[in-house]
Amino acid sequence: MLKIRTPFNALLPLLLVAVIVNIMLHYHTRGIEYPDSLRYLEQTEKIKNADLNIGDNLWSIGYSAFVFVAYSIYSNTQFISAVQIFIYLLGVAALFFAALNWFKQTGVAVITCLLYVCWYETSFWNHFILTESLFLSTNCFMLWALSGIEEGSIWKRYLPALGVLVVHLSIRPTGIVMLLAFLVFVVSNTRQSLSPMLVIILFVLAGGLLLAINTMLYDYDLIATYAQGEIVFLAGKTNYKELVLVANRPLTLPGPNMAPLLKPLVFFIDNPLYMLKLMALKAFYFLGRVRPYYSILHNVLLITLFVPTYIMTIWVLLRNSVPGKATKSFLVTYILGTLGMICLTVTDWDGRFFLPLIPMLFLLSGVGCNKLLTVLYPHFSRFF
């Protein structure tokens, strides 16, 4: 029987598949442009000219710096895409070894990465100057960094994860969900040996998290989206009225001078039924992935892939198949934190906000698929 003798023998075909998918998408995406790309190119010029007038681009300064460095090496947008593809491939390898470190089974790593590289969305955004590609890859790097936390001093163990976290936070403001999940991981993993210094650092990070959220909300009027009933971003400016919730009665709005972080809470207290319905609809469209403007085939494809993915993910979590309480706490916190953020803000038009969940969901699904295949086909495990 053919047997994969080393993890690298299993990883190389996966990387080859990823390269083929990206080549196909390169030709498919030619001529497609996203207006958001212009802001990063403009920010690159500001960095080049030492212009410190960053504005709300501060929350994506890490990606702007990445574009600046890549553009300085070779001033061509295709080169930036090529660098993103290279980092994506490193992310695939990181996801592979994260699965291998945590679950000690090559089959889990192979299935996880096969799902990851074959689902076109994970590669699609490599071909645009947008934060999605780098943000997704740093998610994979974070999984790898946390999966290797076993031995050594506490600082040596967490240093790679902290480095990835800093980069991740600088790419997009939604990186704060990763910060929250990381804090949960650290507390869960070191609760028996929490030093006073670590407790102080955790409190500072938690305080910084709240301050960052409050500051970011100054740039984004959440209450306006609540009042407009937007389920999907900018849906109110389209003809898709099913993506907008209409209130049955006048809504009570919080005062304009209230702290941004408190406004959603006050709005919820004053309009509980409306807010619950709005949040439920956002969760449905976010997790369901379907949209009225997608083709029937596209919607069927999304349902066919992600419904089994959710079922397998929940099954694995309920069966306690994830090694270590810290790992399980991290994954659950990140998934629920991302969902909670969407419920409190707005879901996206084209599936981009969902991307960060894919490595976690496919990792857990990979565990379930490996168990299922081993039961159905006893010889499956011998292949690895």
Side-chain angles (χ1 to χ4, degrees):
M1 178 182 292
L2 179 64
K3 183 178 177 65
I4 296 176
R5 298 187 180 279
T6 68
F8 287 99
N9 289 344
L11 177 60
L12 289 177
L14 293 168
L15 294 177
L16 179 60
V17 172
V19 169
I20 293 171
V21 170
N22 275 278
I23 291 173
M24 293 171 63
L25 285 171
H26 169 72
Y27 290 102
H28 175 74
T29 56
R30 283 190 304 181
I32 302 176
E33 295 182 358
Y34 279 85
D36 290 351
S37 299
L38 184 61
R39 62 184 286 201
Y40 301 113
L41 294 173
E42 291 174 347
Q43 187 62 28
T44 297
E45 285 299 313
K46 287 188 176 182
I47 295 174
K48 182 179 179 181
N49 299 323
D51 185 351
L52 300 179
N53 184 21
I54 296 174
D56 60 0
N57 287 321
L58 172 65
W59 305 114
S60 57
I61 189 64
Y63 185 72
S64 297
F66 161 76
V67 173
F68 170 74
V69 171
Y71 212 67
S72 298
I73 296 172
Y74 186 62
S75 55
N76 186 293
T77 55
Q78 292 298 317
F79 178 72
I80 298 173
S81 295
V83 176
Q84 290 185 156
I85 292 170
F86 176 72
I87 296 173
Y88 169 82
L89 294 175
L90 293 178
V92 172
L95 181 60
F96 181 91
F97 286 106
L100 196 61
N101 289 342
W102 267 327
F103 299 99
K104 313 300 182 186
Q105 293 178 302
T106 306
V108 173
V110 169
I111 294 170
T112 296
C113 289
L114 190 61
L115 289 170
Y116 186 78
V117 301
C118 288
W119 181 240
Y120 78 96
E121 280 185 319
T122 63
S123 293
F124 182 82
W125 302 102
N126 295 336
H127 304 273
F128 301 98
I129 303 177
L130 296 168
T131 60
E132 276 67 28
S133 175
L134 208 58
F135 196 71
L136 183 61
S137 294
T138 52
N139 258 21
C140 296
F141 295 144
M142 193 67 176
L143 290 173
W144 166 79
L146 294 180
S147 71
I149 294 177
E150 291 180 359
E151 300 176 355
S153 70
I154 192 167
W155 300 113
K156 288 182 179 178
R157 287 158 57 195
Y158 288 105
L159 198 57
L162 284 170
V164 175
L165 180 63
V166 170
V167 174
H168 188 77
L169 285 167
S170 71
I171 296 172
R172 263 187 23 202
T174 50
I176 57 174
V177 179
M178 183 64 79
L179 174 57
L180 174 62
F182 176 72
L183 291 174
V184 170
F185 180 90
V186 173
V187 171
S188 181
N189 202 42
T190 60
R191 62 188 184 278
Q192 302 297 334
S193 57
L194 281 176
S195 65
M197 179 60 71
L198 183 59
V199 172
I200 292 172
I201 291 173
L202 290 174
F203 269 110
V204 170
L205 288 174
L209 175 64
L210 293 175
L211 181 61
I213 295 173
N214 192 69
T215 304
M216 280 187 285
L217 290 179
Y218 277 109
D219 299 325
Y220 185 66
D221 192 353
L222 279 179
I223 303 305
T225 66
Y226 295 166
Q228 293 164 9
E230 277 192 353
I231 299 167
V232 172
F233 184 58
L234 297 179
K237 298 181 180 179
T238 70
N239 294 323
Y240 298 104
K241 300 306 178 185
E242 60 267 54
L243 300 180
V244 177
L245 177 64
V246 179
N248 295 325
R249 62 178 181 79
L251 300 171
T252 304
L253 305 181
N257 297 323
M258 188 177 295
L261 195 58
L262 294 177
K263 285 183 179 181
L265 177 61
V266 173
F267 185 90
F268 183 89
I269 293 172
D270 291 338
N271 312 276
L273 295 180
Y274 172 83
M275 192 61 179
L276 284 172
K277 187 174 181 180
L278 184 62
M279 291 171 68
L281 287 169
K282 288 177 182 179
F284 170 77
Y285 278 102
F286 178 68
L287 294 176
R289 303 295 315 276
V290 295
R291 300 288 189 273
Y293 43 82
Y294 287 170
S295 67
I296 294 176
L297 179 61
H298 191 173
N299 282 326
V300 169
L301 180 62
L302 289 167
I303 293 170
T304 302
L305 174 66
F306 285 104
V307 169
T309 297
Y310 297 144
I311 293 172
M312 200 68 77
T313 296
I314 294 170
W315 180 64
V316 168
L317 289 173
L318 292 179
R319 284 177 57 87
N320 293 320
S321 299
V322 179
K325 184 178 179 181
T327 302
K328 183 176 181 179
S329 299
F330 168 79
L331 294 172
V332 171
T333 300
Y334 190 82
I335 293 170
L336 294 182
T338 301
L339 177 60
M341 179 187 65
I342 293 299
C343 289
L344 290 174
T345 55
V346 66
T347 192
D348 57 322
W349 187 258
D350 50 14
R352 283 192 268 174
F353 292 176
F354 186 83
L355 278 177
L357 286 184
I358 289 180
M360 287 71 173
L361 292 174
F362 284 176
L363 175 64
L364 294 169
S365 296
V367 178
C369 288
N370 184 69
K371 287 181 179 291
L372 185 61
L373 287 171
T374 302
V375 171
L376 295 177
Y377 306 101
H379 294 294
F380 175 76
S381 60
R382 298 180 187 177
F383 184 74
F384 300 103

